[in-house]
Amino acid sequence: MDVQALLLSVRLAVVVSLSLLVIGLPLAYWLALSRWRWKFLVESVVALPLVLPPTVLGFYVLLAIGARSPLGGAWSRWFGHGLAFTFEGLAIASVLYSLPFAVQPFTAAFSQVDRKLLEASAILGASPWRTFRRVMLPLSIKGIITGIVLSFAHTIGEFGVVVMVGGNIPGVTRTVSIAIYDDVQALNFARANATAVVLFAFSGVVLALVYALNHRVWSVQPEM
Amino acid sequence: MLRVSVRAAQPGGFTLDVDFDADAGTTILFGASGSGKTTVLRAIAGFLRPASGRVTVGDSVLLDTASGINVPVHQRRVGYLGQDLALFPHMTVEQNIAYGLAAVDRAARDVRVREMLERFNIAGLGRRKPAQLSGGEQQRVALARCLATAPRVLLLDEPLSALDHGTQTLIMEDLRAWNRRDPIPIVYVTHSHREAFELGQQILVMEGGRIEARGTPHEVLDAPARFGVANIAGFENVFRADVRAANATEGTMTCVIGGQTEIEVPFSGAAVGDQVHIAVRAGDVMVATERPRNLSARNLLEGEVMSLERRGPMVIARIAAGADLEVHLTPGACQSLQLAQGTRVWVVIKTYSWRVLTSDDEDIRRLF
């Protein structure tokens, strides 16, 4: 089993999930409450990674973070090195790739919160931020956990985007799915199998967790 | 004092245009559904922004479109309670009531919560979740939560409509007691006569986005001057009538409805030959199965029961007696008179049970 690759994948997934929490919650909040006429365009962009081949997404991300692009250029000037084939570049690409897996469950959860409760909170003097913390978040906690778990698992398993953007640098961009692919290419089936079994079990546990959460086998908040 | 003056185009195609003051005490907003009552409350609360208008409480301006002031909902210090109580399902009763007291320190907050629990007779329920409460208990929690924040105005949108009469009366009593100690303006939306009479000092009757009548509940609902109001106020029988004789000294006049049936009604200042409209409540019409004698009532009409319909605690009878009358009876009365379709009856209506309405072309078109 390739422990180094596994640890790198977990690190990547943690960074991506946390980033999606920071980016995804405000975006989902806006998507759930906005009545803007062109909102569907933003929704389409968020959902794009669901249908786009990972290689296509990876290709364009690679162009966008390359040294000659504005983003890649600015990054080079600030940090002294480029984004392509680095952990940071890989993280940016993964955040984009997993965006719908976080934002869609968040948005669905926020949309289900009764507007009357948000109005009640405001009329009782709560600022929009307090309303979000005390009413919106607790009442959508299941959807938020689902979104985090799904984006975490999705990042662990991604392949195409990593190959395009990260390459195969041990300890930097060589994630667990790349490691398995390499082992198979090298006809090292035993080692590939050892890693694959871990991923297989992990995916099973994650899905069981998400479904249990949504079926209220147990509850993360006191029963309502 | 609350001063409201708002104009807003509504999706239903009508324009909301209201202008009123509300002193401490209860102002009833009365009217059929769709007349714009709830919209008025939502404009005061700040949930919707009218095209133009001004809302002030005492010296503080909540909305003034002319000078661009529109205080956000959470800074208005207004209490609002709708039919949908919107208790926070993930919080206990205590947490719900404490929710609006974020600015108060913990000790004072606990004191205030306990005080509200006692004042609204829910002291034992502090640790329960809303789902574990009865409808009446939820209502009390919602009121307590609303009033804990010491709002400057209280807006109530049919908050009692889901409750049985007994519970309604108890909660209205609590609300009145609270308002005596803490006199702020309450704007109370309802289409129940009972609530209007029990709670209201001032009543505003709304129709089509406008205030059609205002005054005390007795002035407005008992003697409606306009057809629209008569209809809403429960005058089920409205007739077009020709004035045949007027006797100003006796305070009566004789009208003819349906071409030949003579009716004596209170004198309204109309002249002989004028056309007026007269109205009577279905509950103010008496029915006898024999011709009554020695009666003070001046209107005695012979007729026939066309239909009987049981609706809740009353029977609605339609009687053809020169004109088609709707009459409300108790089931007991209906039974002891052995009324059935086709029964010959005598209809008795006191002169002063009739109301004479002033005429208004638009309203006439709507009614006939």
Side-chain angles (χ1 to χ4, degrees):
Chain A
M1 191 176 76
D2 193 335
V3 177
Q4 190 189 35
L6 194 64
L7 287 179
L8 180 75
S9 280
V10 170
R11 187 155 72 97
L12 180 67
V14 169
V15 168
V16 168
S17 303
L18 290 180
S19 308
L20 282 173
L21 209 54
V22 174
I23 302 165
L25 285 180
L27 182 57
Y29 185 75
W30 180 80
L31 283 174
L33 293 186
S34 165
R35 288 194 213 125
W36 189 45
R37 195 145 60 105
W38 305 101
K39 187 173 84 173
F40 70 92
L41 290 176
V42 180
E43 288 172 320
S44 314
V45 171
V46 170
L48 207 54
L50 287 177
V51 292
L52 216 54
T55 44
V56 174
L57 184 75
F59 173 65
Y60 284 116
V61 170
L62 193 58
L63 289 187
I65 65 179
R68 269 183 278 169
S69 79
L71 176 65
W75 187 280
S76 296
R77 278 195 297 282
W78 289 333
F79 296 100
H81 62 85
L83 265 175
F85 307 111
T86 63
F87 182 78
E88 291 86 348
L90 188 56
I92 290 172
S94 301
V95 164
L96 288 175
Y97 188 45
S98 289
L99 196 63
F101 290 83
V103 171
Q104 289 190 346
F106 294 171
T107 309
F110 288 157
S111 303
Q112 273 167 15
V113 175
D114 189 348
R115 294 289 163 276
K116 293 274 187 336
L117 296 178
L118 306 181
E119 286 185 354
S121 174
I123 202 82
L124 288 167
S127 64
W129 170 236
R130 182 170 147 85
T131 298
F132 181 72
R133 265 186 315 120
R134 295 287 313 274
V135 180
M136 198 69 150
L137 273 188
L139 290 176
S140 7
I141 193 70
K142 284 179 186 156
I144 290 165
I145 292 176
T146 301
I148 294 170
V149 169
L150 284 180
S151 54
F152 186 91
H154 189 239
T155 306
I156 292 277
E158 75 181 51
F159 180 80
V161 172
V162 185
V163 170
M164 295 299 286
V165 177
N168 188 2
I169 305 165
V172 180
T173 61
R174 183 184 158 98
T175 62
V176 70
S177 51
I178 306 279
I180 293 170
Y181 180 74
D182 275 358
D183 288 338
V184 173
Q185 292 293 297
L187 301 179
N188 191 348
F189 290 132
R191 196 169 128 107
N193 187 40
T195 317
V197 162
V198 172
L199 269 195
F200 195 74
F202 168 77
S203 306
V205 168
V206 163
L207 285 180
L209 201 79
V210 169
Y211 281 107
L213 196 68
N214 288 324
H215 283 131
R216 293 176 177 235
V217 170
W218 74 87
S219 192
V220 289
Q221 57 176 320
E223 276 302 323
M224 293 194 285
Chain B
M1 185 169 75
L2 170 71
R3 292 176 152 276
V4 179
S5 165
V6 290
R7 269 158 304 286
Q10 283 309 109
F14 73 87
T15 307
L16 185 77
D17 186 353
V18 296
D19 199 323
F20 66 91
D21 296 346
D23 287 320
T26 309
T27 297
I28 300 280
L29 268 187
F30 190 80
S33 53
S35 57
K37 298 169 301 200
T38 298
T39 312
V40 172
L41 290 200
R42 293 182 67 80
I44 300 172
F47 291 133
L48 68 89
R49 192 201 152 99
S52 75
R54 191 176 151 87
V55 177
T56 58
V57 181
D59 296 333
S60 89
V61 180
L62 300 185
L63 173 83
D64 187 4
T65 49
S67 56
I69 297 173
N70 184 19
V71 177
V73 175
H74 67 277
Q75 286 166 4
R76 289 199 174 194
R77 291 187 48 218
V78 163
Y80 180 96
L81 184 57
Q83 217 170 332
D84 197 338
L85 303 177
L87 292 172
F88 302 123
H90 58 302
M91 297 183 195
T92 63
V93 167
E94 279 173 357
Q95 289 168 330
N96 264 285
I97 295 174
Y99 189 84
L101 303 171
V104 181
D105 72 75
R106 203 194 178 92
R109 188 160 63 212
D110 290 347
V111 170
R112 182 83 173 144
V113 168
R114 228 172 304 132
E115 183 195 357
M116 295 313 288
L117 286 170
E118 271 161 32
R119 259 160 84 172
F120 284 89
N121 297 313
I122 41 176
L125 309 175
R127 308 218 174 266
R128 297 222 198 140
K129 292 280 178 66
Q132 299 167 303
L133 303 176
S134 72
E137 287 165 347
Q138 289 183 350
Q139 197 69 50
R140 287 165 192 278
V141 174
L143 260 179
R145 179 179 73 172
C146 194
L147 296 174
T149 60
R152 298 179 291 186
V153 175
L154 180 61
L155 309 172
L156 299 172
D157 191 355
E158 302 198 44
L160 303 179
S161 59
L163 302 175
D164 62 88
H165 276 194
T167 313
Q168 279 186 7
T169 306
L170 289 173
I171 294 178
M172 277 193 256
E173 196 44 60
D174 285 349
L175 188 61
R176 253 197 304 259
W178 168 82
N179 198 221
R180 272 195 295 272
R181 276 176 58 176
D182 193 354
I184 59 166
I186 301 176
V187 184
Y188 193 107
V189 161
T190 183
H191 56 241
S192 146
H193 285 90
R194 208 173 69 90
E195 287 175 325
F197 278 110
E198 280 191 38
L199 279 172
Q201 281 136 17
Q202 184 192 196
I203 185 164
L204 308 169
V205 179
M206 286 196 65
E207 207 195 343
R210 292 166 179 279
I211 295 172
E212 286 285 305
R214 60 183 90 198
T216 69
H218 286 280
E219 284 164 9
V220 173
L221 298 182
D222 273 355
R226 293 168 58 95
F227 300 111
V229 177
N231 235 13
I232 309 165
F235 284 80
E236 292 84 356
N237 299 293
V238 183
F239 301 102
R240 196 200 309 252
D242 295 312
V243 179
R244 180 149 300 173
N247 192 339
T249 50
E250 284 189 20
T252 63
M253 56 189 198
T254 305
C255 298
V256 173
I257 59 172
Q260 53 190 24
T261 309
E262 287 198 355
I263 304 283
E264 190 178 283
V265 302
F267 181 67
S268 72
V272 174
D274 279 358
Q275 200 169 68
V276 293
H277 287 80
I278 59 175
V280 65
R281 285 205 172 119
D284 288 346
V285 180
M286 279 172 280
V287 176
T289 45
E290 284 170 32
R291 186 186 177 104
R293 291 152 173 267
N294 307 326
L295 206 59
S296 69
R298 305 278 291 179
N299 296 302
L300 190 56
L301 310 171
E302 192 179 1
E304 183 185 339
V305 177
M306 305 306 288
S307 69
L308 292 167
E309 182 196 340
R310 176 83 191 246
R311 194 178 295 166
M314 68 179 180
V315 176
I316 298 174
R318 292 193 188 281
I319 296 173
D324 285 343
L325 282 163
E326 180 175 328
V327 182
H328 294 174
L329 301 155
T330 61
C334 194
Q335 214 164 30
S336 70
L337 289 177
Q338 295 186 308
L339 291 185
Q341 195 178 339
T343 309
R344 299 299 302 173
V345 290
W346 293 87
V347 172
V348 183
I349 308 171
K350 288 168 62 179
T351 302
Y352 284 102
S353 293
W354 287 100
R355 297 282 179 262
V356 181
L357 311 174
T358 56
S359 114
D360 180 307
D361 287 345
E362 197 184 321
D363 286 325
I364 292 172
R365 270 204 302 279
R366 199 170 333 154
L367 275 172
F368 294 98

